[in-house]
Amino acid sequence: MTPAPTRANSGSSPAPGAESTAAGAGPDPRSSAASSRAGAADGPAATAPRFSLDLVLRARELGIVLALAVLVAVTTISNPRFLSGQSIRDILLGTAILAVLAVGQAVVVITRNIDLSVGSVLGLSAFTVGTLLRDHPGLPVVLALLIGAAVGGVCGAVNGVLVRYGNVPALVVTLGTLYVVRGITYFWAGGQQINADELPSGFLDFGNATLLGVPYLVLIALLVLVVTGVVLRNYRVGRELYAMGSSPQAARLAGISVGRRTIGAFGVSGALAGLAGVLFAARFGTIDAAAGTGYELNVVAAVVVGGVAVFGGSGSVWGAALGALLLTTIGSSLAVLEINQFWQQAIVGGLILLAIGADRLVAARMAASLKKRGSHVS
């Protein structure tokens, strides 16, 4: 990978994005005229709308932080034990697994696709690694993490190939693979489950161990978040994903290999879902074929609430991680406040609708602003 160039426009109309969406595409090097037009589009008229959108999306992330603060304050007033060490630890561990899934999902959604199979991939990875550890207790934890990521990566690559070469919408493909992968896991498990006493103590200790008071699972999630965030923001491959989500046709005209990048994005999502499966196994110890059921909806909710546009081309993994933290905290708060879990689903649904409405409003305002300023590329 090479660092992305500083030029922020391809030869297509700029689309809104949390991180200057089409920066990685760059002007076509075969045409000096294209370079001139791109340079003209980088003037104040084009920069101002993109800067305004950055402020809007960052304000949404700030809004999530404020919502978290209010939620924690209200819950703590009602029950001071909510801020106990064990409660905070449980929230962080739950967020770590969901955040790893959300980071991978964000990469796919940025390209104007979606991956509904992540919960099933998590379950298959968890059961695979659990079976290997049960049969080979001496298997190193690092190797278990790599195996889980590899299992998920294969599943993700299959999704990408089907979307790319089957010309079928990602929603349909991944809905199908959700059931296929879950069916494979159920057939393999045969109604059995792997219990904690069958797993090596070193692996279970890994799920509860800390470094300077921070659980290993949280550190792994932070590492995934930082690496993915840096790649998306600062490297050409990341900028090309944003360009694809903004306008696939323009991305192709700019010379971006849309098909290869699509397969790669799904591969990343699958690999991180597989990694999350290993973290799931390490945290809970007991693994059955139903592991990860329902996670896909929470993951999509975390990504959308975190500001990643469902129409592609904008958002960040940082917002997706904040969305994961918010949803996990909501679940814990409702349990502490003894509120029916139905309200958690209702709140999550309301947040999704609110986030989609905000995306449409921002996109409409940006389009009107660009039209008014005349900052389009002819």
Side-chain angles (χ1 to χ4, degrees), residues 25-352:
D28 189 342
R30 294 171 296 181
S31 172
S32 58
S35 299
S36 299
R37 290 194 299 269
D42 278 336
T47 303
R50 289 198 302 270
F51 180 71
S52 299
L53 180 61
D54 280 344
L55 292 179
V56 170
L57 293 173
R58 289 180 182 179
R60 182 188 295 185
E61 294 178 2
L62 178 59
I64 295 176
V65 174
L66 293 176
L68 274 169
V70 172
L71 180 62
V72 170
V74 170
T75 309
T76 303
I77 292 173
S78 175
N79 189 339
R81 289 179 298 175
F82 181 69
L83 282 183
S84 67
Q86 185 59 45
S87 178
I88 294 175
R89 176 186 174 85
D90 289 341
I91 291 175
L92 290 178
L93 289 174
T95 300
I97 297 174
L98 186 58
V100 170
L101 290 167
V103 168
Q105 186 75 243
V107 173
V108 171
V109 174
I110 283 170
T111 66
R112 198 179 287 192
N113 289 293
I114 194 168
D115 186 357
L116 296 180
S117 68
V118 290
S120 297
V121 173
L122 180 152
L124 177 62
S125 172
F127 197 82
T128 299
V129 171
T131 301
L132 287 174
L133 288 169
R134 182 189 60 189
D135 298 339
H136 306 281
L139 191 71
V141 173
V142 173
L143 184 57
L145 293 171
L146 294 176
I147 291 173
V151 170
V154 170
C155 294
V158 170
N159 283 333
V161 169
L162 291 175
V163 171
R164 168 65 179 89
Y165 295 103
N167 291 320
V168 180
L171 177 68
V172 177
V173 169
T174 57
L175 182 61
T177 55
L178 179 156
Y179 290 108
V180 170
V181 174
R182 183 67 65 188
I184 292 173
T185 308
Y186 271 107
F187 178 79
W188 183 9
Q192 299 179 352
Q193 70 177 22
I194 300 171
N195 298 313
D197 57 5
E198 300 177 88
L199 297 176
S201 59
F203 181 70
L204 297 176
D205 290 341
F206 165 75
N208 295 288
T210 63
L211 177 64
L212 301 177
V214 181
Y216 282 155
L217 271 60
V218 175
L219 292 175
I220 291 175
L222 288 174
L223 178 63
V224 168
L225 175 62
V226 170
V227 171
T228 308
V230 169
V231 170
L232 286 177
R233 182 177 181 84
N234 298 325
Y235 288 85
R236 177 179 292 274
V237 62
R239 312 313 305 160
E240 289 180 350
L241 296 180
Y242 280 105
M244 288 166 50
S246 298
S247 175
Q249 296 81 7
R252 290 189 182 94
L253 292 175
I256 296 174
S257 178
V258 173
R260 186 174 62 184
R261 294 293 183 233
T262 298
I263 295 174
F266 276 101
V268 169
S269 178
L272 292 181
L275 176 63
V278 183
L279 302 184
F280 180 95
R283 183 190 175 196
F284 296 107
T286 300
I287 312 161
D288 59 20
T293 300
Y295 265 67
E296 54 277 343
L297 299 181
N298 286 333
V299 172
V300 172
V303 169
V304 174
V305 170
V308 181
V310 292
F311 304 100
S314 69
S316 71
V317 294
W318 312 100
L322 281 174
L325 178 58
L326 177 61
L327 295 185
T328 305
T329 306
I330 288 174
S332 299
S333 296
L334 294 182
V336 170
L337 297 174
E338 298 181 353
I339 297 176
N340 193 308
Q341 287 298 304
F342 162 78
W343 289 108
Q344 179 180 356
Q345 301 176 22
I347 291 171
V348 171
L351 288 174
I352 292 175

